[in-house]
Amino acid sequence: MDLVTKSLIREFSKEFEIENFDQSKQFEIMSAYLTVKRNYSESFNPTDIVSGGGNDLGIDAIGIIVNGQLVTEIDSLGEMLASKIDYLDVTFIFVQADRGSFDASKLGSFAYGVTQFFTPDTKEPRNQFIADAALMMTAIYDKGAKFKKGNPRCLMYYVTTGTWPVDGALNSRRDKFCSDLMALNAFREVDIQPIGASDISQLYRLSKHSLQRKFEFTKRSDVPEIPGVIEAFVGFIPATQFMSIVKDEGGSIVKSIFYDNVRDFQGGNEVNNEMYEALQSDRKRRFVLMNNGVTIITRGLQHTRETFTIEDFQIVNGCQTTHVLFASEETLDDTVLIPLRLIWTQDEDVISDIIRATNRQTEVKEDQFFASTEFARRLEDYFNSHDLNEKLHFERRSRQYDSIELEKTRIINQTNVVRAFASVFLEEPHSTVRSYNTLSERIGKEIFVEGHKLSAYYTAASAYYRLERLFHNGIIDRNLKVCRFQLLMTAKLLIEPKKPPYFNSNVMDKYCNPILEVLWDKEKSLELFNSAIDVLLELNGFLLDRDKIHTQGFTQKLIKRFRPDE
């Protein structure tokens, strides 16, 4: 292995706290992260997608992306499939990592394993991770009528520290395996991509840097000076230029640029269908007059005459327009113009005002604005205010910590803070996965409410972090992840069985302190979660029955174990 790759593995292992694993496993986890990150720009824990050893069909990692979301739990997928979405856009990502050179037989084993993954009656043994992933795959294909954009994509990454030959037997075998997989009639695209040492270095650099795009913006006017805004422009940009801003190297839309656009793509609704039809007709030149356009906020900007370079940017209005343009790309030319507002600011209040104003055209739930609220900013500061050993990072904005050197496992995103808080303080672990959409609707009403003590959210996040670390390092069996939110509640009840005080009460800090004291002690926290596992398994007849554990009835049974009078 070359010195550069060794150095990257060391740095990655420190950031993701996997230094206790051997180098082979570290390389496997890093390979999984970098290749999936190429297709999914949000934060995620790479150990959630790694298969974990024997009976893995020769597959080291699997990432399943559904409608722009990386799905790692069957219950989360079930909630998504049961919702009123009218389309499914799915990408399956498979990774095989080897510290040696590219090898034809290993490539063959990898391709065979992926084929068997999609073979329901395969006789090949599968470990629990592979079996769970296959269960999600089956659930997705059961909704095949919603594949309106085409069948799923199948991307395979064969990662080594070697160099892929320009031509020869390996290329022929790769082409043959792609053809064989396409013959299953299950995919709209199959691609086997070799990733060598130089590719690893490039992917690693890309994973660290904020998104940057260069484009020509000739038809524009300067906006007069506005407090809090460094520069702003309004004008028009050819659709072909705009596509170069929103697409990644693989030709897909970069989902992370819509993080601050509170509405995701709504699919083939009436308005979007009309937009699409206009772009397919001789009326496409009128598009600039028929469309409200796109608003881009950028936190970094350089420009010389017509050439603009934006960095760390968001499309805060224009998600529907962007996706319809992408679907119509074959018909686009320079006669199709897009109204564009480009705003350069680093003032969070200005950004918040613009996001709210540009997203008020249709009804938007208040919880979708949470990242831009003062409460969210104070929560972020509160997490960062703790001593180094007890510091966590609340990810208020997508990818905000990507380029910062810190332990990535200490980054807790909004979804997981909500889930942890619901488990530990609302005592509703059954609502965290299968009913998360319902839970998120309570943001601003029962969760993340102005006046709530920030210590409660930090305590819940600390419990989540501690338990995830135990899973992460293999200290607790990862099969128990199916009941992790029930374990969080049980652990809290073991320390403090009493109901939490009101969340705005001055006694909340006092309630949280003994819980935090145990959580931030490695030995005590391990003992705590092992005790929680014993309680949970005992109440469930020593079985990991997902359907039973994830019910309100089981939650009440747990509470009654510690508070018999309820």
Side-chain angles (χ1 to χ4, degrees):
M1 183 185 297
D2 63 277
L3 293 175
V4 173
T5 304
K6 283 183 179 179
S7 172
L8 296 180
I9 292 173
R10 283 196 300 271
E11 183 177 306
F12 178 88
S13 298
K14 183 178 180 181
E15 284 194 0
F16 284 90
E17 298 184 89
I18 55 171
E19 293 168 291
N20 60 315
F21 292 130
D22 62 36
Q23 189 187 67
S24 175
K25 192 66 177 179
Q26 291 171 347
F27 181 69
E28 185 179 296
I29 295 171
M30 184 178 78
S31 299
Y33 179 78
L34 295 180
T35 50
V36 171
K37 188 78 169 176
R38 186 175 186 176
N39 300 276
Y40 180 74
S41 56
E42 304 300 323
S43 300
F44 65 96
N45 185 340
T47 60
D48 285 344
I49 61 171
V50 174
S51 60
N55 295 332
D56 58 9
L57 297 178
I59 300 168
D60 290 329
I62 300 174
I64 302 176
I65 301 173
V66 182
N67 292 3
Q69 298 294 317
L70 180 65
V71 181
T72 59
E73 299 170 321
I74 185 64
D75 289 327
S76 296
L77 175 65
E79 183 183 25
M80 181 183 293
L81 296 179
S83 65
K84 294 181 180 179
I85 55 173
D86 61 357
Y87 76 99
L88 286 175
D89 185 14
V90 182
T91 299
F92 290 98
I93 301 170
F94 300 91
V95 184
Q96 171 59 248
D98 188 339
R99 289 174 298 165
S101 301
F102 290 106
D103 179 88
S105 62
K106 290 181 180 177
L107 175 61
S109 297
F110 182 31
Y112 173 76
V114 173
T115 303
Q116 292 304 298
F117 177 83
F118 290 100
T119 303
D121 57 352
T122 181
K123 303 301 181 187
E124 296 290 342
R126 300 174 171 184
N127 63 28
Q128 191 61 52
F129 174 85
I130 298 294
D132 287 345
L135 194 62
M136 289 193 283
M137 176 270 294
T138 301
I140 289 169
Y141 276 95
D142 284 345
K143 298 288 185 180
K146 293 188 176 183
F147 294 159
K148 295 181 180 179
K149 297 185 177 182
N151 287 347
R153 300 163 70 216
C154 178
L155 305 181
M156 300 167 58
Y157 293 95
Y158 180 21
V159 188
T160 81
T161 56
T163 302
W164 183 262
V166 177
D167 51 26
L170 273 171
N171 283 284
S172 298
R173 296 201 72 177
R174 179 179 66 169
D175 294 343
K176 174 67 165 57
F177 294 141
C178 286
S179 298
D180 290 346
L181 281 164
M182 281 298 292
L184 296 176
N185 294 318
F187 314 107
R188 72 174 184 265
E189 175 191 348
V190 173
D191 191 17
I192 300 176
Q193 298 185 28
I195 304 293
S198 60
D199 302 306
I200 291 171
S201 297
Q202 181 182 12
L203 289 176
Y204 195 87
R205 287 193 299 272
L206 288 173
S207 75
K208 291 287 188 182
H209 297 151
S210 59
L211 195 62
Q212 186 180 91
R213 290 290 186 269
K214 181 184 288 188
F215 61 97
E216 301 297 314
F217 195 8
T218 58
K219 297 180 174 63
R220 71 182 192 278
S221 296
D222 293 4
V223 174
E225 185 176 341
I226 299 173
V229 175
I230 303 170
E231 284 188 280
F233 309 88
V234 294
F236 310 99
I237 183 173
T240 50
Q241 280 274 340
F242 181 66
M243 285 292 98
S244 68
I245 296 174
V246 301
K247 293 197 306 181
D248 62 20
E249 294 176 343
S252 300
I253 289 180
V254 181
K255 294 292 185 180
S256 64
I257 61 177
F258 301 105
Y259 180 78
D260 287 335
N261 188 307
V262 298
R263 285 186 304 279
D264 198 359
F265 181 50
Q266 302 299 300
N269 61 26
E270 183 178 354
V271 174
N272 289 341
N273 286 338
E274 287 181 4
M275 210 187 314
Y276 180 81
E277 289 168 7
L279 289 167
Q280 306 305 310
S281 72
D282 56 6
R283 295 179 293 131
K284 65 183 181 182
R285 292 191 178 189
R286 304 179 204 162
F287 189 81
V288 67
L289 304 176
M290 300 162 59
N291 187 267
N292 290 329
V294 174
T295 301
I296 297 177
I297 294 179
T298 181
R299 290 175 169 83
L301 172 66
Q302 294 179 343
H303 62 94
T304 55
R305 295 186 178 180
E306 282 76 36
T307 302
F308 279 61
T309 301
I310 56 177
E311 184 175 8
D312 191 10
F313 64 93
Q314 288 283 308
I315 293 179
V316 299
N317 188 48
C319 179
Q320 311 307 311
T321 297
T322 302
H323 281 80
V324 173
L325 287 167
F326 179 75
S328 310
E329 190 170 11
E330 292 182 0
T331 68
L332 300 181
D333 54 40
D334 288 347
T335 67
V336 181
L337 297 176
I338 313 300
L340 175 64
R341 290 183 294 273
L342 178 61
I343 303 162
W344 178 19
T345 180
Q346 296 173 352
D347 188 311
E348 293 294 337
D349 290 328
V350 172
I351 293 170
S352 175
D353 286 346
I354 294 170
I355 291 171
R356 285 176 175 273
T358 55
N359 285 282
R360 284 302 191 193
Q361 297 158 3
T362 59
E363 182 183 359
V364 178
K365 297 174 183 177
E366 193 65 24
D367 66 272
Q368 294 175 289
F369 288 120
F370 175 71
S372 62
T373 64
E374 181 61 29
F375 185 92
R377 294 175 197 151
R378 286 195 289 106
L379 188 61
E380 179 184 358
D381 292 341
Y382 185 83
F383 274 45
N384 287 328
S385 69
H386 288 78
D387 292 340
L388 185 62
N389 290 337
E390 299 181 4
K391 181 177 290 189
L392 298 175
H393 307 281
F394 174 57
E395 188 181 50
R396 183 171 60 83
R397 289 195 306 112
S398 174
R399 301 191 65 181
Q400 70 184 93
Y401 296 109
D402 275 8
S403 59
I404 302 173
E405 289 189 14
L406 49 79
E407 294 171 344
K408 295 299 191 281
T409 52
R410 291 178 180 258
I411 300 170
I412 318 291
N413 63 27
Q414 178 181 321
T415 296
N416 287 327
V417 172
V418 170
R419 286 172 165 171
F421 180 79
S423 302
V424 174
F425 288 95
L426 297 180
E427 297 184 344
E428 296 182 26
H430 55 278
S431 299
T432 57
V433 179
R434 291 183 175 179
S435 303
Y436 180 75
N437 286 339
T438 302
L439 187 64
S440 67
E441 291 173 357
R442 294 156 68 180
I443 290 176
K445 302 167 188 172
E446 299 172 60
I447 304 169
F448 294 148
V449 178
E450 193 62 44
H452 278 192
K453 296 298 181 182
L454 302 180
S455 57
Y457 297 94
Y458 171 75
T459 301
S462 298
Y464 177 86
Y465 165 75
R466 266 296 172 214
L467 181 57
E468 284 297 303
R469 286 277 288 131
L470 295 172
F471 286 131
H472 189 74
N473 290 311
I475 298 171
I476 289 180
D477 185 354
R478 65 185 292 172
N479 290 326
L480 289 163
K481 273 198 167 188
V482 68
C483 55
R484 59 182 167 180
F485 294 108
Q486 285 73 18
L487 287 173
L488 292 183
M489 185 182 80
T490 306
K492 192 274 296 185
L493 289 170
L494 282 165
I495 301 172
E496 177 51 83
K498 287 187 248 179
K499 278 185 176 181
Y502 290 115
F503 302 131
N504 59 357
S505 168
N506 289 328
V507 301
M508 177 56 79
D509 291 347
K510 185 177 180 181
Y511 183 88
C512 291
N513 285 339
I515 302 172
L516 289 169
E517 183 181 342
V518 175
L519 290 173
W520 287 106
D521 184 302
K522 289 185 178 180
E523 292 183 5
K524 289 180 180 178
S525 62
L526 175 58
E527 183 180 345
L528 171 68
F529 283 112
N530 278 330
S531 297
I533 290 168
D534 291 342
V535 170
L536 198 73
L537 291 178
E538 179 186 344
L539 285 177
N540 201 41
F542 298 95
L543 297 172
L544 279 178
D545 185 341
R546 173 188 282 109
D547 291 332
K548 183 177 179 182
I549 290 171
H550 291 177
T551 63
Q552 186 174 0
F554 187 76
T555 296
Q556 291 304 315
K557 191 175 180 180
L558 263 175
I559 292 172
K560 216 163 186 58
R561 163 76 164 71
F562 294 93
R563 299 200 293 264
D565 295 336
E566 285 194 19

